[in-house]
């Protein structure tokens, strides 16, 4: 798929429309390389990628359930089950971390966060170009300290989200893209 086709035809594919197989090692390496090609002012590499697959997804589901208990000690059993099941809804989950330096003398934190968003988009596009479906998800778990600690985040690390990816199963609905013409002006001074 050429680059413009990948850009214009990418749509988020959410669970339950993601199934196995996920990308193999070579494809996953390409996907992560795309993430690491994000524009990056100052070459700070303000992103890290955490691959979660196989049984580790079950462990992450436990972490999500533990996190919910901490946030909401009286959470009903169904809600805990839902948390346990979240990472199992795709064969591969990539947690993307914004490892920002808010005190950097030259590069504002905002730019480091923007770069992380670009890394996530590159991952989504690479997965799409390989024929996989993917979706960028956050939710309460992305902002939860228990989840962050379990994934090894420290200091100012922030979770940009969890990219779920896998083989597209069925006919997922597509959210229409925005019309750029409605969002663009030409400034003539
Ligand atoms: C930072 C970020 C977090 C998101 N988190 C969620 C989420 O938790 N749940 C969700 O349904 N969509 C979430 N989305 C939106 C989807 O990833 C997706 O962009 C949206 O559904 C539009 O679909 P499209 O990518 O096909 O245009 C998030 C998007 C961004 C940029």
């Amino acid at each position: 798929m050429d680059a413009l086709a990948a850009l214009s035809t990418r749509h988020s594919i959410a669970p339950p429309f993601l199934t196995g197989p996920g990308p193999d090692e070579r494809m996953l390496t390409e996907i992560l390389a795309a993430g690491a090609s994000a524009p990056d002012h100052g070459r700070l590499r303000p992103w890290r990628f955490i691959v979660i697959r196989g049984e580790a997804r079950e462990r992450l589901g436990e972490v999500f359930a533990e996190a919910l208990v901490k946030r909401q000690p009286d959470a009903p059993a169904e809600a805990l089950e839902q948390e346990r099941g979240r990472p199992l809804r795709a064969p591969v989950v990539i947690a993307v971390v914004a490892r920002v330096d808010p005190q950097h003398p030259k590069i504002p934190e905002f730019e480091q966060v923007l770069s992380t968003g670009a890394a996530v988009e590159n991952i989504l596009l690479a997965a799409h170009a390989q024929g996989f479906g993917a979706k960028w998800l956050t939710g309460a778990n992305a902002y939860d300290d228990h989840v962050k600690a379990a994934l090894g985040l420290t200091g100012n690390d922030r979770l940009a989200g969890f990219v779920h990816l896998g083989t597209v199963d069925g006919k997922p609905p597509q959210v229409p893209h925005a019309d750029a013409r409605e969002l663009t002006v030409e400034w003539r001074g």
Side-chain angles (χ1 to χ4, degrees):
M1 192 184 300
D2 72 38
L4 276 177
L7 281 165
S8 60
T9 60
R10 185 206 64 82
H11 285 279
S12 292
I13 311 292
F17 297 100
L18 294 175
T19 187
D24 62 20
E25 287 305 314
R26 185 185 58 78
M27 289 168 145
L28 191 56
T29 300
E30 280 175 9
I31 290 170
L32 296 169
S37 308
D40 170 17
H41 192 180
R43 287 202 245 164
L44 299 183
R45 316 303 191 222
W47 7 260
R48 295 292 183 275
F49 312 118
I50 303 170
V51 176
I52 301 135
R53 53 189 161 164
E55 286 177 11
R57 295 172 306 148
E58 285 164 37
R59 176 65 199 125
L60 183 61
E62 269 316 314
V63 169
F64 286 174
E66 290 161 10
L68 180 58
V69 170
K70 282 177 185 274
R71 290 197 301 274
Q72 193 188 326
D74 61 346
E78 306 83 68
L80 296 177
E81 262 327 288
Q82 187 182 29
E83 292 304 324
R84 285 194 186 94
R86 276 188 201 286
L88 303 176
R89 298 181 304 165
V92 176
V93 177
I94 303 173
V96 180
V97 179
R99 182 155 290 173
V100 295
D101 176 2
Q103 310 301 336
H104 194 279
K106 265 186 65 186
I107 316 297
E109 181 180 4
F110 181 56
E111 296 189 12
Q112 301 172 48
V113 174
L114 289 173
S115 177
T116 308
V120 178
E121 174 69 347
N122 277 5
I123 286 172
L124 294 173
L125 285 167
H128 172 59
Q130 289 175 341
F132 291 103
K135 184 162 182 173
W136 182 351
L137 297 166
T138 46
N141 287 311
Y143 302 98
D144 189 286
D145 287 341
H146 180 69
V147 173
K148 291 194 223 172
L151 287 171
L153 275 67
T154 56
N156 294 305
D157 288 357
R158 288 197 250 169
L159 265 175
F162 301 94
V163 177
H164 285 55
L165 67 118
T167 297
V168 182
D169 185 30
K171 267 215 157 289
Q174 291 188 349
V175 178
H177 288 150
D179 183 344
R181 290 167 302 185
E182 291 173 7
L183 305 168
T184 309
V185 294
E186 183 170 340
W187 188 78
R188 295 194 169 90

